[in-house]
Structure formats: structure tokens, C-alpha cells
Amino acid sequence: MTSNTKSESINDFLKEKKKYVDISEFDSHFFDDIERRSKILTCIQCGTCSASCESGRWTALKTRIIIRKLILGDLSVLKDPDIWLCTTCYNCYERCPRDVRPTDVIIELRNYASKLGNIHPVHRKVVDYLKATGHAVPINDKIKQMRKELDMEEIPPTLYKFKDEENSDLTRYAKELFNLVPPKGEKEENKDTNKDKEKKA
Amino acid sequence: MVQDKKYAFYLGCIMPNRYPAIEKSTRYVMEKLGYELLDMERAACCPAPGVLRSFDKEDWMVAAARNICIAEKMDVDLITVCNGCFGTLQEVNLRLHEDEALREKVNEKLKLLGDYEFKATIEVKHVAALLSIDIGPTEIQEHLVRKLNATTAIHYGCHFLKPSHVRQIDSPEDPTILEDFVEALGIKSLNFKQKYTCCGAGGGIKAAYADTSMTILSEKMKHISEVNPDFILDVCPFCHLQFESGQDWLKKNHNINYDIPVFHLSQITAYCMGMDEKYMGLQYQNNGKKYELTPIEVQAND
Ligand code: SF4
Ligand code: SF4
């Protein structure tokens, strides 16, 4: 991995995640970061991404415009609920003639949006499940019964089965990974705009 | 060198916790083909490439590496049945194989999670690639007890083949491996409009924006229903869940009842290799319960 920032030698997997309270705290490094990984400046605005978009056919997601805004340094993309409508189908990634890899850019933007606390409440719940069980989709009684009827082990040998071990892996997993920035006041507003968009879609 | 004819069986979340019959079928298929599947104790969510990677891709990578380490310790390659799990694990595995500096950073964080160190010794495989390429349509015929006289709408899903330069399995715009494979099972694959589009489940949309997700699926179901297949065939429990819950949603919200059964490639292959029908688990699914399998017994050729 090449790096053009001062923090070159720092292990960004370990360091305390920088929390951004407000959009004004983003500096130009934000764009450098994305450009370094995804070469957004080579975009020729051809629109192949939007034309291929599985989500954009039905929603307000306009991939080309998101890339355009990014190039222009428009930080409003971080608050834009549309970035959460991408299904990660990778059509744009495959077809972009400049290899901008828009899917990766969107994931990158979502990571930054998350640092602002802009995460859908339902998505926060997925993380809660993950921390409580090691699974984004946990087991339930109905499935345990089904597994028995299929002559299988009632509980699969995943992290969940070993949750009660002393100093369990699950405890450490939950402590070290996916510690989300708590929600902020403006979150509610975002939710509503998105609901409207869905209705239109 | 990893051990031959053995795989670490990576379960993920949706297969063991929603569609255990897919797990049952996969175990059956692999065993009959002469592979041993080893349990990956303490494995966790892959983590999901759409939803969880969106919050923190560093943590996503570390958590994925942790799963791969469990298989590395057993000295066997890892196998998964899910496009999402494959998407995450194959990509992270590849990147950590190629980038030593990145590996070091990940390993430092892994220490906090227990006795884990990524050593870059194994490969990550999708069961659909193992069946359709490694075994292939010719060799599989030697293992068949029966074929199925049926038609199907094949759904590849997105993360099995894309990004294609990472996956290197088949063309994402015009793949043929699954069509060729099911043909060997006697099944006719039908062409339908916009066959390779997304099911609409990925990227965290299904959880947070269910209506949008279902709108994408509805279009897909419309095109599938036009060719009237006996069943839908997928290679991913998440797509599987989407096809099942999507048909329920259409029934409830739009009074459209397609009632088409949905099978994972493992379920169909297991049946053709002799597994009892009840283990395919159609009785636990919501659609196509009335579907009757139409087997053609295969003469033993020895
Ligand atoms: S397809 Fe690529 S080059 Fe064309 S507008 Fe989209 S990101 Fe830019
Ligand atoms: S990956 Fe996302 S942005 Fe790109 S085409 Fe698919 S849904 Fe659209």
C-alpha cells in the first residue's frame, strides 16, 4: 500500500479511530485518501456507472454525480443517504472505462459517513447482533429444531457455541471490532429523506 | 502444501442459521465426492461485504483474516457456499497474500483477538466453483444416482464472479459454468431477460431499505416467471433468502403468487447424488412446496 500522508508508518488498524463530530473537521486529506485508493480524478463523467446501476434504476442513486461531487470537493456526499442505496453489485466496477472502481469509492464514503455517526439504526442493530453472537444473522429456536430434524448438530460450531468459555473469543471480538460512532441529532432527518425517496422509487 | 481432499467448512451466518438444509446438502455432496469437511470452531460472520465493510473496512479485514487463520491452523483450504462470504474471504485472503505490509498491520490487531496470525498459506474456494470447474460436468456424472427432468432459472448473484479481476472464475457478463454443470444433472437452464442482474439484497439494502430491495427483486421475479421454470437455482444463501422472502412480500403486498421453489446448487446436486429428498428441506421453505421432483434413475455404469 502506498501512502502520501504523514501518517505513513502508523498502523491504521490499531490506532484509535478518529471520530469526526462535524463535517467541517474533514480536511483535504479526506480526498487524497480516496484518490490514493481509487483514482477518482481519472473519471471522464461518461455515465457508464449510472447506466449500469442496479439500484439507480429504481432509486435516486446517481453514481456518476457522486464521483463528480467528490472530485469537486463537495462534502455533502457524506450526508447523502443515497450512498447507502448501492447493492454492491459491482456492475459499475466492471464496466467503468477508467477503472475508477465506483463500488469501492462508495464503500469508502460509507466508512467516512460512519465516522460521522451517519449509520442507519437498522444497521446498528446488525452490529449489535454481531457483537452478541458473532453472527449478523443469529440462530433461533425454530432453526435449532429444524437442524435436529435434519439430523444435524443443533448448534453449529461457530463463535456462538463457545460464547461461555472463559475469556471467550466472542468477548474479545466484541470489544475490539466494529465500535461504531454513536448516532447524532441529525440522523433522524436523514432517515426521513430516505423514506420519501423510497416511496418515490 | 495444504492437505489434499480436505476442506475447512466455513459456515457463515445465513446457511447454518436460516437454511440448514443447504449445509446438510453440502456435507453430503462433499463426502460423496471423497472430501472430508473439517469444522471451523469459533469462526464468526465473514463479515458481510456490503453491510459490515461499509462501517469500518479495517475491522472488516481483520475479522475476515481471523476466520481464515482458523483454516490455516488446520492446514487445509477453506470452502464456502455463499457469495457474500466468498466475496469477503477470497478478497481479503488475496490482498493479504499479495501485500506483506498490510499483513503485518492486520496481524498486530489480530493478536488482540486471541491466538491468531495470518500466514498466507491457504486458498478460499466457493463450492459452486469446485463443483462446476474442479469436478466439472463430465466427472460429476460418475457420481450421479439420478438426474432431474426439470427446467431452471439460474441466478449467479454478484459476488461469485465480480470483481472479475479478483475472482478470476468466469465472465461476469456471460458466464456458462453453472449452465454446463446443471446440464450434466439433466436440468435445462432457461434464458430469461436480464438474467445477470442483482437480486437486490446486498449492500445493506435488504436490512435498511427493504422496499427498494424488494423492488429490485420484483423485476427479477417478473422476468423469471415469464419463462416458467420448475425452480430457481442459486449459489448463495443470501440470494436464496431474498428469493424466498421476496416472493412472500409479493404475495402480501401485490397479491402476486409466483410460488416458485428456490434451491441452492448444493441441494440439487446432493439429491442427484442420492440424498433423501427430505434433507433438501423444501418443506421448511415458503414457496413451491407443491413442487414434485421428477427424477430419472441413472444406470450404474460399472
Ligand atoms: S463509469 Fe467510470 S469514468 Fe464513467 S462516469 Fe462512472 S466513474 Fe466516471
Ligand atoms: S455497485 Fe452500487 S453503484 Fe455500482 S452499479 Fe451496483 S448498485 Fe450501482
Side-chain angles (χ1 to χ4, degrees):
Chain A
M1 218 202 280
T2 52
S3 173
N4 61 352
T5 56
K6 291 192 295 283
S7 58
E8 206 157 10
S9 57
I10 294 175
N11 185 346
D12 43 354
F13 285 77
L14 279 176
K15 72 170 184 232
E16 180 85 28
K17 295 270 149 52
K18 183 167 182 206
K19 294 183 177 57
Y20 298 90
V21 181
D22 193 80
I23 246 174
S24 62
E25 290 176 54
F26 282 87
D27 52 25
S28 61
H29 280 316
F30 163 69
F31 296 103
D32 292 348
D33 248 19
I34 293 195
E35 167 61 14
R36 164 160 68 87
R37 298 193 176 105
S38 292
K39 303 274 169 291
I40 44 173
L41 293 178
T42 64
C43 170
I44 50 170
Q45 287 290 296
C46 67
T48 304
C49 49
S50 287
S52 306
C53 186
E54 300 274 4
S55 174
R57 276 176 78 181
W58 311 99
T59 67
L61 173 61
K62 294 281 169 281
T63 317
R64 177 184 64 84
I65 304 222
I66 286 175
I67 307 284
R68 184 69 186 149
K69 283 185 179 166
L70 258 179
I71 294 168
L72 294 174
D74 180 352
L75 281 164
S76 69
V77 281
L78 293 178
K79 284 191 180 174
D80 189 346
D82 292 352
I83 60 171
W84 295 93
L85 291 171
C86 161
T87 69
T88 68
C89 76
Y90 283 107
N91 277 356
C92 53
Y93 185 115
E94 289 290 332
R95 294 176 186 174
C96 168
R98 305 294 289 171
D99 203 19
V100 169
R101 305 184 179 181
T103 321
D104 283 358
V105 176
I106 287 173
I107 295 281
E108 199 85 30
L109 288 175
R110 288 178 175 189
N111 269 239
Y112 283 104
S114 300
K115 288 179 190 178
L116 280 165
N118 291 346
I119 301 171
H120 195 286
V122 174
H123 285 158
R124 288 183 184 275
K125 225 178 237 146
V126 176
V127 173
D128 291 344
Y129 287 140
L130 179 73
K131 284 173 177 274
T133 67
H135 287 294
V137 180
I139 199 160
N140 58 38
D141 288 343
K142 195 177 121 196
I143 303 293
K144 284 185 201 164
Q145 176 60 28
M146 209 184 274
R147 292 182 64 94
K148 256 207 310 217
E149 286 170 22
L150 289 165
D151 303 323
M152 305 170 72
E153 268 184 76
E154 203 176 308
I155 300 184
T158 55
L159 204 46
Y160 178 70
K161 185 176 168 184
F162 299 91
K163 66 181 186 318
D164 298 324
E165 284 175 333
E166 212 182 311
N167 190 19
S168 80
D169 268 27
L170 183 56
T171 322
R172 286 190 264 187
Y173 191 95
K175 179 170 167 263
E176 300 293 344
L177 299 174
F178 295 108
N179 294 317
L180 304 182
V181 176
K184 289 220 325 229
E186 56 189 326
K187 180 204 64 184
E188 289 302 311
E189 190 184 295
N190 277 349
K191 211 173 67 191
D192 288 339
T193 3
N194 234 348
K195 261 204 193 122
D196 287 341
K197 271 191 185 125
E198 273 209 71
K199 257 185 225 140
K200 264 187 260 156
Chain B
M1 263 292 282
V2 294
Q3 300 179 69
D4 221 18
K5 283 282 183 186
K6 280 186 190 175
Y7 277 104
F9 189 22
Y10 178 75
L11 304 177
C13 298
I14 299 176
M15 176 183 70
N17 297 343
R18 288 296 175 275
Y19 296 106
I22 300 179
E23 180 183 336
K24 181 85 184 176
S25 305
T26 307
R27 290 182 188 278
Y28 186 92
V29 168
M30 293 297 284
E31 197 182 295
K32 285 279 168 184
L33 290 173
Y35 293 95
E36 193 185 335
L37 289 182
L38 308 179
D39 281 345
M40 291 177 62
E41 289 190 346
R42 295 176 191 75
C45 178
C46 53
V51 63
L52 290 159
R53 180 172 48 152
S54 296
F55 311 140
D56 192 323
K57 56 191 182 28
E58 279 89 20
D59 283 0
W60 166 78
M61 185 170 273
V62 170
R66 180 186 169 280
N67 286 326
I68 299 167
C69 288
I70 296 173
E72 282 187 348
K73 278 188 202 169
M74 296 189 279
D75 193 26
V76 287
D77 287 336
L78 178 155
I79 196 156
T80 163
V81 303
C82 171
N83 288 0
C85 302
F86 183 61
T88 289
L89 298 175
Q90 194 261 355
E91 178 163 340
V92 170
N93 193 46
L94 193 73
R95 285 191 56 195
L96 293 182
H97 269 254
E98 287 170 349
D99 189 336
E100 212 170 311
L102 188 63
R103 199 189 311 158
E104 270 169 35
K105 287 180 178 181
V106 167
N107 274 335
E108 264 184 75
K109 176 110 191 197
L110 273 174
K111 281 185 202 144
L112 302 174
L113 300 178
D115 180 22
Y116 298 103
E117 190 192 348
F118 189 94
K119 298 201 168 103
T121 53
I122 66 157
E123 275 179 41
V124 171
K125 188 129 236 166
H126 193 305
V127 76
L130 178 119
L131 287 174
S132 61
I133 300 171
D134 296 6
I135 304 289
T138 311
E139 195 187 326
I140 193 70
Q141 311 226 24
E142 293 163 23
H143 301 273
L144 298 183
V145 170
R146 53 195 165 220
K147 294 191 177 188
L148 258 183
N149 182 14
T151 58
T152 191
I154 291 178
H155 176 72
Y156 278 85
C158 300
H159 295 210
F160 177 40
L161 303 174
K162 294 178 280 188
S164 56
H165 73 103
V166 178
R167 303 284 184 263
Q168 308 221 355
I169 292 180
D170 197 355
S171 153
E173 304 278 1
D174 191 17
T176 54
I177 48 172
L178 295 180
E179 284 78 358
D180 292 346
F181 185 78
V182 299
E183 199 184 306
L185 307 181
I187 301 163
K188 186 168 186 293
S189 153
L190 303 173
N191 279 327
F192 54 95
K193 265 188 224 155
Q194 296 169 22
K195 182 171 170 183
Y196 306 113
T197 55
C198 172
C199 72
I205 296 207
K206 189 171 174 59
Y209 306 110
D211 282 355
T212 300
S213 170
M214 287 299 150
T215 305
I216 298 175
L217 192 267
S218 302
E219 176 84 354
K220 181 120 216 154
M221 281 309 303
K222 196 177 98 196
H223 294 319
I224 290 178
S225 71
E226 278 166 10
V227 297
N228 198 22
D230 289 326
F231 53 83
I232 294 166
L233 187 117
D234 60 61
V235 294
C236 170
F238 198 29
C239 301
H240 197 95
L241 177 69
Q242 176 79 342
F243 279 116
E244 272 276 288
S245 60
Q247 292 190 71
D248 295 345
W249 183 88
L250 281 165
K251 250 180 262 176
K252 219 176 112 202
N253 295 285
H254 294 279
N255 220 358
I256 301 174
N257 186 10
Y258 290 127
D259 203 29
I260 303 176
V262 186
F263 290 116
H264 187 281
L265 180 68
S266 288
Q267 289 168 292
I268 288 292
T269 311
Y271 176 73
C272 291
M273 291 175 76
M275 188 179 76
D276 193 304
E277 189 183 333
K278 76 169 188 226
Y279 292 125
M280 289 172 84
L282 188 59
Q283 69 274 27
Y284 301 120
Q285 298 188 177
N286 293 340
N287 295 282
K289 278 188 197 297
K290 278 181 262 151
Y291 175 61
E292 280 177 34
L293 293 155
T294 44
I296 314 161
E297 300 305 314
V298 174
Q299 311 286 330
N301 49 6
D302 47 17

